[in-house]
Each structure stands twice: as structure tokens, then as C-alpha cells.
Amino acid sequence: MRKFINIILEQSEEQQLAAVQQHGNAIRHIKNSSKRVQLAAVKQFGYSIEFINNPSEDIKLAAVQQSGDAIVRLENPSEKVQLAAVQQNVEAINYIKKPYQSVLNYIRNKK
């Protein structure tokens, strides 16, 4: 496994992309990943967002669109991210500490 990790760290962005497109969690072994690599990782596996330092709003949104439950890995998600999470999986509401009113309204209307 260590050999695999070193290989990822030494690869070009294209090679890093190929790795995260197969296994989103491979991003945990990439330091200073580009936004392009981050986006590919969360599109493959939303929970891989936990390995991204200070993800942008776009990355957060892509993560919860892939897996609504990935919101559990985010601190203070925006209204847009919360809404996308519950649209992907209504049960994601269980992981939102302070849901916006629009999110609560969405949940009520789904019942």
C-alpha cells in the first residue's frame, strides 16, 4: 500500500485524476490536490470530501449530490448544500445540525 501511496504523490494531475476516478478516497494520499482532482474524487465518492482541506462550495455541492449523507463531513454547510443533500437523500436531514427553513420546508413537502 505504501508503494501505491508514493506513486500517487509523484504523479501528474492526469494520473491523479485517473486514480480518484477509480477510487475517490485515493485523494487522501494527494497533497495540494487541484480543484479538478477534488471534483473528480467527490463525484466518484462523496465521502472523500473529508480528505479535502477547505473545500469550495462547488466541491461541497458535488459531494452531497453524489451522496447526500456526505453532509455529515461538512461544518456549517450553506443553504444550497443542505438543500442538495436532502434532495439527493431525504435522510440527510439527520446530519444537519442547523437546517435552514427552506430545507425544513422541503422535507415537510416530501411527506
Side-chain angles (χ1 to χ4, degrees), residues 7-110:
I7 290 171
I8 291 176
L9 289 172
E10 298 168 4
Q11 298 305 314
S12 69
E13 182 184 45
E14 292 302 317
Q15 292 166 320
Q16 291 174 356
L17 270 173
V20 299
Q21 286 170 341
Q22 283 196 316
H23 303 284
N25 276 346
I27 198 163
R28 74 171 60 158
H29 305 296
I30 301 172
K31 292 184 180 177
N32 303 319
S33 56
S34 70
K35 186 172 180 179
R36 191 170 158 216
V37 171
Q38 292 173 6
L39 190 59
V42 299
K43 282 185 173 183
Q44 198 281 326
F45 184 61
Y47 276 88
S48 64
I49 196 160
E50 73 179 288
F51 303 111
I52 299 172
N53 291 326
N54 302 313
S56 68
E57 184 76 1
D58 291 345
I59 301 298
K60 293 175 184 178
L61 195 57
V64 299
Q65 287 171 336
Q66 194 282 326
S67 175
D69 292 347
I71 201 163
V72 73
R73 303 290 189 224
L74 302 176
E75 286 190 40
N76 303 315
S78 69
E79 182 175 10
K80 187 175 182 180
V81 171
Q82 288 183 13
L83 196 53
V86 297
Q87 287 171 340
Q88 196 283 328
N89 178 2
V90 74
E91 296 298 320
I93 191 68
N94 296 318
Y95 303 113
I96 300 173
K97 292 177 185 171
K98 296 180 183 176
Y100 286 88
Q101 188 61 46
S102 61
V103 175
L104 295 172
N105 291 342
Y106 177 84
I107 297 296
R108 275 189 216 104
N109 291 335
K110 287 299 281 184

